[in-house]
Amino acid sequence: MRFIFKTDYAQDIKLAKHGGHVFWYSALMLLMFAAPWLFAEYWLAQLTLVLIYSIAGLGLMLLAGFTGQFSMGHAAFLGVGAYTQAVMTNAGVPFPIAMACAAGLSAAVGVVVGLPALRVKGIYLGIATLSFGFIVEEVLARWESVTGGNAGIHIKKPDIFGWVLETGNQFYFLCLVVTVIATLSILNVLRSPTGRAFVAIRDSEISAQSMGIHLAYYKTLSFAISAALAGVAGALYAHNLQFISPDQFNILQSIDLLLMIVIGGAGSVHGAFLGAIFLIAMPQVIAQVKDFLPAAVGQAPGLQGLVYGLVLIGFVMFEPMGLYGRWLKVRTYLQMFPFYRKGMFKRQKSFQKSDRLK
């Protein structure tokens, strides 16, 4: 019995639960490392943006999807990280140190913002974080001596202790390495007692507190980790654009981040990546399709917002688990074919509908 217990425990702590995971994730990593030689420069730039948004999505997924803390001002953390990186890089600080400071300052701001989460929740927490987003945007616009105000600020290319990343390919590999590290970090947090405490708080704060979980500590910690990842994404975002201004981190950016995890699939690490792909790919699809639409529709200024709203409503009504939830159903269908039954997910759907009515 002792040997069986050790074997089960070893299986539980593995990131890859079986050989299939090792094979497919290894194939994916090989494809990602070969991307500069497989894709044109434009598509590689889009893939770089996907990686950057995925890091921010991982942080927001940890906060909203796994801890149940609603945030509508997450772009503020992105802005704090971006401006910290820009100011320190332009001052001659090496890239790794500047990024560490960007993540640290964003985490500290996240702790301050997380304090209201101890008193409010739900829509009231969303309003509090939304107000914080407006405050940060106003500070970035008014603190002209540091941020450059509404005129914005340019940022130098990443300098890793004397090695300057001049090309898009080099910066892509940097984003890829940071994304892999961020993903492994989140996976390790989620399988630790801290991650289990986050999920317990999301499911029921009263039950979590009755089990000895310190709500104030873990809620604040969740905000800090989420903000730190947003700060890292903001640092890469600043280098990617090489120019930042306060209007890039407004309420619309926060809504995009929230939309990303809802459509990708709240409560799953895969959902952060699927949502980032959707967020970057959808404008390209709309640009290609609108030429075939009537002029009154295709040239309408709010077409992209309308499409986003319709897609979001569709996912909330018909697929609350997002793109990753749909993939799980397709995978289950393929695994059980031809023994798949049509009503297999009926109970799950009824639970989700009743849960939304609470």
Side-chain angles (χ1 to χ4, degrees):
M1 289 297 294
R2 183 178 301 173
F3 175 76
I4 295 175
F5 171 78
K6 288 184 178 180
T7 303
D8 292 342
Y9 179 75
Q11 287 291 110
D12 183 62
I13 65 174
K14 286 184 178 180
L15 287 176
K17 295 183 179 179
H18 53 76
H21 282 177
V22 175
F23 174 78
W24 287 111
Y25 287 128
S26 299
L28 176 61
M29 289 306 303
L30 288 176
L31 177 63
M32 296 296 291
F33 274 104
W37 295 276
L38 298 177
F39 302 111
E41 184 177 355
Y42 172 79
W43 295 111
L44 187 66
Q46 298 302 306
L47 187 56
T48 302
L49 274 176
V50 168
L51 294 176
I52 294 172
Y53 273 101
S54 296
I55 297 173
L58 286 172
L60 188 54
M61 187 71 73
L62 178 70
L63 180 66
F66 289 98
T67 317
Q69 303 300 298
F70 189 58
S71 175
M72 289 191 64
H74 221 65
F77 303 122
L78 201 72
V80 171
Y83 272 93
T84 302
Q85 185 75 18
V87 171
M88 299 194 70
T89 299
N90 291 342
V93 178
F95 173 82
I97 299 177
M99 174 172 280
C101 292
L105 182 58
S106 297
V109 175
V111 171
V112 175
V113 178
L115 295 178
L118 309 180
R119 296 289 183 179
V120 297
K121 59 182 179 179
I123 188 63
Y124 301 103
L125 178 60
I127 294 174
T129 54
L130 178 63
S131 303
F132 169 74
F134 286 129
I135 292 173
V136 169
E137 185 181 358
E138 192 68 18
V139 169
L140 295 178
R142 300 297 179 183
W143 199 2
E144 297 183 2
S145 60
V146 176
T147 66
N150 290 317
I153 183 174
H154 290 272
I155 180 173
K156 298 178 181 179
K157 293 184 178 180
D159 182 355
I160 306 178
F161 299 108
W163 177 35
V164 180
L165 305 184
E166 297 284 353
T167 66
N169 290 359
Q170 293 174 334
F171 184 70
Y172 165 77
F173 282 119
L174 173 65
C175 292
L176 180 59
V177 170
V178 175
T179 303
V180 171
I181 294 174
T183 305
L184 293 177
S185 301
I186 287 295
L187 289 174
N188 278 285
V189 168
L190 291 176
R191 65 180 183 163
S192 69
T194 300
R196 298 175 190 271
F198 289 158
V199 175
I201 293 173
R202 178 198 65 187
D203 292 342
S204 174
E205 292 188 8
I206 296 177
S207 299
Q209 194 170 20
S210 68
M211 291 186 292
I213 295 175
H214 196 294
L215 296 183
Y217 171 77
Y218 284 105
K219 281 185 177 182
T220 307
L221 180 62
S222 178
F223 263 98
I225 297 175
S226 179
L229 286 174
V232 171
L236 295 174
Y237 184 79
H239 281 295
N240 185 60
L241 297 183
Q242 297 184 8
F243 174 82
I244 53 175
S245 60
D247 59 353
Q248 294 172 335
F249 309 102
N250 54 18
I251 178 60
L252 296 179
Q253 182 75 278
S254 297
I255 292 175
D256 281 345
L257 293 175
L258 198 59
L259 179 74
M260 181 173 66
I261 66 166
V262 171
I263 291 179
S268 66
V269 174
H270 297 82
F273 292 91
L274 294 175
I277 294 173
F278 170 85
L279 190 65
I280 301 302
M282 184 56 68
Q284 313 297 328
V285 174
I286 295 174
Q288 296 294 327
V289 172
K290 71 178 182 180
D291 295 333
F292 301 96
L293 298 174
V297 178
Q299 302 302 323
L303 179 62
Q304 181 172 326
L306 175 64
V307 173
Y308 275 24
L310 293 176
V311 171
L312 180 60
I313 291 173
F315 271 98
V316 170
M317 292 183 62
F318 303 109
E319 190 52 82
M321 294 179 65
L323 291 172
Y324 184 63
R326 176 53 53 181
W327 157 244
L328 290 178
K329 294 176 182 179
V330 172
R331 187 182 67 180
T332 303
Y333 174 82
L334 295 175
Q335 289 176 341
M336 302 189 66
F337 184 83
F339 303 105
Y340 179 87
R341 292 186 301 170
K342 186 176 180 180
M344 182 172 296
F345 293 101
K346 186 175 181 181
R347 180 179 178 185
Q348 180 189 27
K349 289 181 179 179
S350 64
F351 168 75
Q352 290 166 346
K353 288 180 181 179
S354 63
D355 187 61
R356 290 199 301 271
L357 294 175
K358 288 182 180 179

